Amino acid sequence: MQTTNTNDPSAYLAPGRYVDSDHPAVIAFARRVADPAMTPREIAVKLYYAVRDEFLYDPYYFDITVEGLKGSRVIEAGRGFCVPKAALLAAAARVLGVPARLGYADVRNHLSSKRLQDMMGTDLFVFHGYTELWVDGQWLKATPAFNRSLCEKAGIHPLEFDGRADSVFHEFDVSGRRHMEYVHDHGTYADLPRDELLASWRAHYKTFADWGQIVDSGADFAQEVGASS
């Protein structure tokens, strides 16, 4: 259910099917990284960096099953693409009492590789996932997808988050070249809208039906990006 016009933060504390804040691994992760006694800002910042850097961004670990899109799967796999990583950040925040929801946008992303673009047939990433966190009376956007080591190989600045302002996109790389631009925002959701995601991917990617469930342990996206940067 889309919840773009709902600002009551209490609606974003309960566990969801994908934002599975009741999963033991998510609970353990959240409590290891931060303490409920911390301020919401401190919790949000610590969780953001833990999700960003402890779990590799890997578009070739593209498990679109119900289980594969849950936040807890990122912990189990040690990696994931933007959608489940955003779900993990939201789930961990809810564990510690910080309201969180999911947002999606279509972006033109230059943090890619020739192999990935050939597979997609475009540089438009549809339904790119981010997280919104309720901190000090406002919703803040945070994008925990791209880990620091990947960004360093790609020659871009990693996205920072201070719990005071939105952290959404890498507008330029370290050389001043445009890196990412947002084309369309789909709004925010209490939980991951799997059916809507899949329908949009089918509509935009002609080869989507051939992708299936991609879990390619032999692919090294960071190496591909580093070679092309």
Side-chain angles (χ1 to χ4, degrees):
M1 178 179 68
Q2 189 168 356
T3 54
T4 303
N5 297 321
T6 301
N7 286 311
D8 178 10
S10 65
Y12 305 97
L13 283 170
R17 187 177 193 182
Y18 302 93
V19 183
D20 53 348
S21 53
D22 55 350
H23 191 285
V26 175
I27 294 171
F29 166 72
R31 291 177 177 171
R32 172 176 62 80
V33 172
D35 190 298
M38 294 176 176
T39 66
R41 177 181 295 150
E42 290 171 330
I43 291 171
V45 170
K46 283 185 173 295
L47 290 177
Y48 170 80
Y49 283 105
V51 174
R52 189 193 75 177
D53 293 333
E54 289 189 24
F55 308 101
L56 302 180
Y57 172 74
D58 188 353
Y60 298 134
Y61 193 88
F62 188 75
D63 184 349
I64 56 176
T65 64
V66 170
E67 291 300 317
L69 290 172
K70 292 182 178 182
S72 58
R73 177 56 65 86
V74 178
I75 297 176
E76 295 167 2
R79 62 188 61 235
F81 65 109
C82 60
V83 170
K85 286 193 72 172
L88 174 57
L89 177 55
R94 291 182 188 181
V95 169
L96 298 178
V98 177
R101 61 192 187 186
L102 303 175
Y104 302 94
D106 300 342
V107 302
R108 293 201 180 280
N109 183 11
H110 304 291
L111 179 53
S112 187
S113 68
K114 184 179 185 304
R115 179 187 179 193
L116 183 59
Q117 287 200 20
D118 287 347
M119 184 182 81
M120 295 172 58
T122 177
D123 66 350
L124 182 67
F125 285 67
V126 177
F127 264 86
H128 172 68
Y130 61 88
T131 311
E132 285 197 351
L133 303 160
W134 182 257
V135 178
D136 296 338
Q138 63 179 330
W139 287 109
L140 296 178
K141 295 179 173 64
T143 310
F146 307 120
N147 52 288
R148 175 177 290 278
S149 60
L150 173 65
C151 292
E152 290 173 349
K153 287 185 177 181
I156 65 172
H157 296 292
L159 271 175
E160 309 296 346
F161 178 63
D162 63 4
R164 293 181 172 83
D166 291 339
S167 177
V168 184
F169 62 91
H170 313 255
E171 188 172 358
F172 299 97
D173 65 13
V174 294
S175 301
R177 299 171 297 185
R178 180 169 293 280
H179 170 61
M180 180 184 288
E181 58 181 313
Y182 276 58
V183 177
H184 175 70
D185 197 300
H186 293 277
T188 54
Y189 302 73
D191 204 5
L192 190 152
R194 181 173 179 268
D195 290 344
E196 191 172 340
L197 260 71
L198 296 184
S200 187
W201 287 335
R202 290 189 191 100
H204 283 84
Y205 303 126
K206 294 180 181 179
T207 60
F208 179 74
D210 299 327
W211 296 2
Q213 179 182 328
I214 301 173
V215 182
D216 188 347
S217 60
D220 189 333
F221 180 69
Q223 184 176 16
E224 292 177 8
V225 168
S228 61
S229 63

